[in-house]
Amino acid sequence: MPGSRACISPNDRGFTHADGVYEIVRSYAGTLFRIPDHLARLKRSLAAVRIAVPDVDTFAETAAELLRRNRLDKKDATVYIQITRGIAERMRAPGPAIPTVYIETSPLIARRALCRGVSVITLPDIRWGRCDIKTIGLLPNALARMQATDKGVYEALFIRDGFVTEGTHTNVFGVKDGTVLTHPPDHHILPGITRTVLLELCRALGIPISESPIPEPELTRLDELFLTCTTAEVIPVLRVNDVAVADGKPGPITRRLQSAFRRLSRRA
Ligand code: PLP
């Protein structure tokens, strides 16, 4: 239905409690990139928050149909999927409810400048202990992103116990002496689909990987630093808290992975 006709109850638990989960899938000229991985992550998120939705596998076809109906099947686009627990009384333990399922498509306006590099700040990671669940409760992420915008930079990197976990909407990778470093996939980060693809590309290209967290003071001593996410792919980081990373230019491994990702996604 047209977005303007969609109605959601004010008693929907998503609205009152941020009680829900979501996914964002990228579509390249009508091809949904890594849709099985996104739906698998969605199932894991749903199971973790105890929302039962039996027909998640049908969402791939729904998404493809929506892209066609919105004439986005020949363009770059995103598919947003949100599921909340549904309608339930406020301030009570939620009983069985019919989950609200919402799927929409949007044209992707690529921010081409991002692939040439960005600046970031670091901030304390004040989020909860299950950042691996892709929940719609994104207030700490939104507040940190606002602080980044206030400082005129693209992203804020979260620091927990002295180590970089991830960005507000990105996973973080460093390069030191030829090895690609990134936080292990535990409860403190979202296991990004782009992150998984990047690690696969590193293996295919023979680039060594270490899934170990980067200490904050090491950030500007790295040879290269970059971010990944579904909508912006691979983004070089040139400055952290106003200090240059290496020579302040996108590094060779970052560039290699950027082009490998581009080739893979456009051929998917
Ligand atoms: N980390 C967080 C907190 C995110 O919100 C996202 C994406 O929205 C990512 C990482 C990157 O995940 P993906 O590559 O699946 O887009």
Side-chain angles (χ1 to χ4, degrees), residues 52-79:
V53 177
D55 55 350
V56 169
D57 288 323
T58 65
F59 293 176
E61 187 39 49
T62 309
E65 174 69 20
L66 276 175
L67 288 169
R68 279 193 291 277
R69 289 199 198 186
N70 287 307
R71 296 194 183 83
L72 290 171
D73 51 339
K74 307 251 176 335
K75 299 183 180 156
D76 281 352
T78 55
V79 178

Side-chain angles (χ1 to χ4, degrees), residues 103-159:
I103 307 181
E104 72 165 27
T105 56
S106 313
L108 185 84
I109 296 121
R111 293 176 61 188
R112 291 197 196 290
L114 291 182
C115 68
R116 292 195 291 273
V118 299
S119 299
V120 302
I121 53 170
T122 55
L123 287 175
D125 195 342
I126 57 166
R127 300 173 303 160
W128 70 328
R130 289 303 305 273
C131 299
D132 56 314
I133 305 172
K134 200 161 168 63
T135 155
I136 59 172
L138 289 170
L139 196 47
N141 306 55
L143 288 171
R145 189 92 194 262
M146 283 187 237
Q147 281 179 262
T149 305
D150 289 349
K151 288 256 157 59
V153 302
Y154 172 71
E155 177 63 308
L157 310 190
F158 285 125
I159 307 297

